[in-house]
Amino acid sequence: MDRNRERLAQNDPDVFSALVGEEDRQRRGIELIPSENYTYPEVLAALGSVFTNKYSEGYPGRRYYGGQEFTDQIENLARERACALFRCEHANVQPLSGSPMNQAVYLAFLKPGDPILSMDLSHGGHLTHGAPVSHMGKIFNFVRYRTHPEEEGRIDFGEVRELALAARPKIVLAGYTSYPRDYDYAEFKKIADEIDAITMADVSHIGGLIAGGALRNPFDYGFDIVTTTTHKSLRGPRGGMVLCKKKFAKTIDQSVFPGLQGGPHMNTIAAIAIALGKAQAPEFSEYAMTCVSNARALARTLISQGASLVTGGTDNHMLVLDSVQSFGINGRVAEETLDQVAITTNKQIIPDDPNPPLRPSGIRIGTPAATTRGFREVEMERLGHWIVEALAAHQDAAALERIRREVEQLCSGFPVPGL
Ligand code: DSN
């Protein structure tokens, strides 16, 4: 045991026992929540480092506190690596996580009441894309596009254009949190150009897949601003980045600090630099491609067993399973059933869901964490069979117990990084 861990065990056994419990949970079962991952041991080391002691308001070379030679080094490194990886001109790596990251962009360009076009939460958009319950949804006038069953659950760009021409939003936002397809950024850009709007993509879920070349990069289609969290498919610490064209750099930087935030979390920025460095290696590209091929293998298995997936499949790392249609159970029951067999997923509303968010009609399933752990198509197929078996037998305690043992047996052959 390392010295700091030993001190924690001795000095705060309550926190230590929860930590050990969580390590055991992560080791025993498999994580299939699409927004989660197992980060690198190096990232864990940086997060627990003395960079957490430091206040660094401002930006490299222009700080409000002394003692910044090493914080400047790591923030510059993170910014340079982000720009190289995403082929962009400027990166702000200070957002504390996804919500402030998106808020900083809105507050940089919009006044209260201004229109912005985004994906409806109930059709796959994120809470921070203007859900009525969010503060941003109350401050700005979010106009929402949706997906359509007659378009196989895809976006209808005719509708996006009509909404854009009618509302004349200042920002056209492409981004999702529960949509298993890639986006056609060229179409969004064409529509935004017609009304002279800023193009913003929130690629939080797929940042790692874009960095690894497995999905389209919005900057290749002329987008102005891309936001991404760093802890999902990018495999870094919990944090956020705003990437943009040079002409927006100053406005974005001022909006993050001093506009919205105070001191950046320098231990997180050190960890972001590490994750971005790892993402520059050729193996990361292989990882990104495997997240996608694993998702396809899982989708094929589920569909072949009669399960119903929103949009009929996946282009990315994520599947949205309609548990009501497939197994006659709501997403909460499905999530709890899979918890019992050591497979972690999350309940999820599906487009035009008649059920409420805490008892929605589906679950989300994703591959980034399982892929990090070394799962390949053969393991995804086994998981697919267990998922179907467990959901179909959700009231059969003996069957669930047997499946749990089988899942744990499989997981024992795939160590969690850092554990
Ligand atoms: N909560 C994240 C997700 O699961 O998609 C997004 O913030």
Side-chain angles (χ1 to χ4, degrees):
M1 206 167 8
D2 72 41
R3 266 188 313 146
N4 290 343
R5 194 174 164 90
E6 215 169 293
R7 285 191 189 107
L8 177 61
Q10 276 169 11
N11 298 335
D12 198 330
D14 295 337
V15 169
F16 185 71
S17 82
L19 172 64
V20 171
E22 178 60 15
E23 287 173 346
D24 186 50
R25 186 193 71 80
Q26 291 194 13
R27 198 184 290 117
R28 267 191 301 111
I30 190 68
E31 183 55 67
L32 293 185
I33 292 175
S35 48
E36 294 191 12
N37 214 326
Y38 305 104
T39 195
Y40 306 97
E42 295 90 330
V43 163
L44 295 176
L47 285 174
S49 71
V50 294
F51 276 120
T52 202
N53 297 339
K54 193 73 199 103
Y55 258 125
S56 303
E57 275 102 328
Y59 291 100
R62 289 179 290 120
R63 306 273 194 193
Y64 290 85
Y65 293 76
Q68 304 291 348
E69 63 242 70
F70 301 109
T71 48
D72 277 7
Q73 248 176 51
I74 56 160
E75 189 164 348
N76 279 330
L77 206 52
R79 297 202 295 194
E80 285 158 19
R81 288 177 180 178
C83 288
L85 205 49
F86 287 91
R87 299 188 289 284
C88 66
E89 293 169 353
H90 180 72
N92 187 306
V93 296
Q94 293 195 2
L96 301 177
S97 207
S99 299
M101 159 192 96
N102 285 339
Q103 288 164 11
V105 178
Y106 306 152
L107 294 162
F109 299 105
L110 305 177
K111 293 195 205 39
D114 274 352
I116 164 167
L117 189 63
S118 67
M119 194 164 185
D120 195 298
L121 172 79
S122 62
H123 284 243
H126 189 248
L127 189 67
T128 60
H129 301 167
V133 292
S134 73
H135 290 311
M136 295 299 115
K138 295 187 177 91
I139 294 172
F140 304 115
N141 173 23
F142 282 85
V143 178
R144 302 180 182 87
Y145 52 88
R146 303 162 82 93
T147 58
H148 293 279
E150 61 280 13
E151 307 268 344
E152 292 181 309
R154 318 288 173 107
I155 293 160
D156 171 359
F157 281 99
E159 182 202 51
V160 176
R161 181 169 181 271
E162 270 173 34
L163 290 169
L165 293 180
R168 308 204 73 84
K170 291 201 171 158
I171 297 177
V172 169
L173 168 56
Y176 53 78
T177 200
S178 182
Y179 182 63
R181 298 292 173 184
D182 202 2
Y183 263 167
D184 188 341
Y185 298 106
E187 283 293 327
F188 279 110
K189 173 73 176 146
K190 211 160 63 187
I191 292 166
D193 282 350
E194 270 193 76
I195 53 168
D196 209 17
I198 290 170
T199 37
M200 167 182 178
D202 175 356
V203 301
S204 290
H205 261 265
I206 54 172
L209 306 185
I210 291 171
L215 291 184
R216 297 179 189 122
N217 181 342
F219 285 121
D220 293 341
Y221 300 86
F223 264 55
D224 297 309
I225 295 166
V226 173
T227 59
T228 182
T229 49
T230 48
H231 49 278
K232 298 186 175 92
S233 52
L234 258 176
R235 273 166 82 172
R238 308 194 80 85
M241 303 193 291
V242 181
L243 314 170
C244 63
K245 290 182 175 164
K246 204 174 186 135
K247 66 176 177 180
F248 297 119
K250 202 166 165 209
T251 312
I252 289 293
D253 282 354
Q254 282 177 348
S255 185
V256 173
F257 172 86
L260 186 66
Q261 295 184 173
H265 294 180
M266 297 313 298
N267 56 329
T268 301
I269 290 175
I272 288 174
I274 292 166
L276 294 172
K278 297 255 187 200
Q280 287 175 319
E283 304 85 67
F284 191 82
S285 182
E286 196 183 316
Y287 165 74
M289 304 288 177
T290 309
C291 284
V292 174
S293 57
N294 276 351
R296 292 208 174 118
L298 184 55
R300 272 197 309 273
T301 310
L302 293 173
I303 290 168
S304 73
Q305 304 276 301
S308 166
L309 301 182
V310 170
T311 78
T314 180
D315 294 333
N316 55 25
H317 62 299
M318 180 196 311
L319 290 66
V320 183
L321 184 147
D322 183 333
S323 58
V324 171
Q325 198 177 322
S326 310
F327 303 101
I329 54 176
N330 68 48
R332 192 182 84 187
V333 175
E335 176 194 294
E336 288 170 359
T337 301
L338 293 175
D339 271 343
Q340 287 182 59
V341 299
I343 294 175
T344 312
T345 59
N346 73 280
K347 59 179 119 17
Q348 180 66 42
I349 45 174
I350 62 170
D352 300 314
D353 203 325
N355 294 318
L358 285 173
R359 272 186 303 106
S361 299
I363 52 170
R364 270 187 331 175
I365 307 174
T367 55
T371 307
T372 295
R373 203 149 161 185
F375 280 36
R376 296 296 176 261
E377 291 189 23
V378 61
E379 287 81 26
M380 299 319 292
E381 285 164 10
R382 290 186 72 188
L383 282 176
H385 285 288
W386 282 321
I387 289 170
V388 170
E389 213 186 328
L391 295 179
H394 66 278
Q395 288 173 320
D396 181 343
L400 296 181
E401 174 58 21
R402 175 186 50 77
I403 297 168
R404 183 186 60 74
R405 280 200 305 273
E406 290 171 357
V407 171
E408 289 184 358
Q409 173 64 29
L410 175 71
C411 290
S412 67
F414 294 85
V416 171
L419 287 183

